Structures are given as structure tokens and as C-alpha cells.
């Protein structure tokens, strides 16, 4: 098996994932998974596609991720890993698609408008 390269995005985070046959090591920005994503929730999100397809310990995954916050980055990595697993085995698509792991979440932060306090919030109007 060659190295498979896939990209995942979420909000402003972009993750480039390289999947190769191996022992199950996940390296993110040259750090171990547990060192980069310290909370269990984020680690679960990254491992979710591997767990659903019973591929934990089968692949070495190297990730370069930048932009956004840690949650957006974790979800970008999850999307990229899901896409890579679909290329490894076409049967994985039937497992990952119903879980929503192959859908790119399009929600972005709405921009702040001129003359307003925030995107939707207005300045308070007082009549004196």
C-alpha cells in the first residue's frame, strides 16, 4: 500500500493527512496524538473513523494541521482520516457515511457588520 494523502477542513482549520501501513501511530504536527489533543473528547473525535472501521493499530497516520481552534482542528483531522479510509477500502464508505463522518461541515463564523457591535448584535438604542 502506498501513502494516501487526503485533506479535511472545518471552519478555518485545514488538516493534511498521510496514511500508510503501520502499527497505529498517530503523529500531529510532529507530536503524539495525546500531546497535541490533550482532552479525551478530542482524541475520541480523531480516533472515531478508525474505531468504526476496526482499523485501530493498522495504519501509521501523519497529520499537518493549521488554522482555527483545537476543536475545529480535531474535526478537520477526523474528516481527512475518514476520506483516506474510504480510499483504502470502498466498504468503509458504507460504515462512515451514516455516521456523518464524510460530510464537510460548512458552518463558518459570520462576519461583523459595519455599524454593529458584532455579527448580529446591535448597539443599544436609548431615547433621552
Amino acid at each position: 500500500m502506498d501513502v494516501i494523502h487526503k485533506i479535511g477542513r472545518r471552519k478555518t482549520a485545514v488538516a493534511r493527512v498521510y496514511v500508510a501501513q503501520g502499527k497505529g501511530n498517530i503523529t500531529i504536527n510532529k507530536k503524539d496524538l495525546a500531546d497535541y489533543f490533550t482532552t479525551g473528547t478530542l482524541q475520541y473525535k480523531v480516533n472515531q473513523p478508525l474505531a468504526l472501521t476496526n482499523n485501530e493499530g493498522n495504519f501509521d497516520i501523519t497529520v499537518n494541521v493549521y488554522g482555527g481552534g483545537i476543536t475545529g482542528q480535531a474535526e478537520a483531522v477526523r474528516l481527512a482520516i475518514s476520506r483516506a479510509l474510504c480510499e483504502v477500502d470502498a466498504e468503509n464508505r458504507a460504515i462512515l457515511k451514516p455516521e456523518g463522518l464524510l460530510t464537510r461541515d460548512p458552518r463558518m463564523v459570520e462576519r461583523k457588520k459595519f455599524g454593529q457591535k458584532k455579527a448580529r448584535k446591535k448597539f443599544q438604542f436609548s431615547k433621552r
Side-chain angles (χ1 to χ4, degrees):
M1 183 184 117
D2 252 10
V3 176
I4 295 172
H5 171 246
K6 289 291 175 189
I7 294 177
R9 293 185 180 92
R10 173 71 172 97
K11 292 188 177 180
T12 56
V14 180
R16 295 171 176 276
V17 169
Y18 302 91
V19 177
Q21 206 71 41
K23 297 184 177 86
N25 299 325
I26 300 177
T27 310
I28 301 170
N29 290 353
K30 298 179 180 168
K31 291 183 180 179
D32 189 53
L33 171 67
D35 295 334
Y36 194 82
F37 294 123
T38 53
T39 64
T41 309
L42 297 176
Q43 292 172 18
Y44 168 76
K45 281 184 181 182
V46 172
N47 283 317
Q48 195 176 3
L50 296 167
L52 287 171
T53 57
N54 297 322
N55 282 317
E56 292 168 307
N58 294 351
F59 301 106
D60 283 343
I61 301 173
T62 307
V63 183
N64 294 330
V65 64
Y66 60 90
I70 54 167
T71 304
Q73 287 186 351
E75 292 179 9
V77 171
R78 176 174 70 180
L79 176 61
I81 291 173
S82 298
R83 286 176 171 173
L85 289 176
C86 285
E87 193 166 311
V88 168
D89 188 5
E91 292 173 10
N92 290 337
R93 186 171 180 83
I95 300 165
L96 297 170
K97 184 83 170 149
E99 298 293 325
L101 298 182
L102 294 174
T103 307
R104 201 285 199 198
D105 194 342
R107 294 177 294 175
M108 301 287 276
V109 176
E110 190 175 333
R111 77 175 203 85
K112 183 198 170 295
K113 276 59 160 211
F114 172 76
Q116 295 181 12
K117 205 173 183 107
K118 289 165 57 178
R120 303 268 174 114
K121 190 175 185 179
K122 315 282 193 277
F123 285 109
Q124 188 171 337
F125 176 73
S126 64
K127 197 174 184 181
R128 288 187 182 212

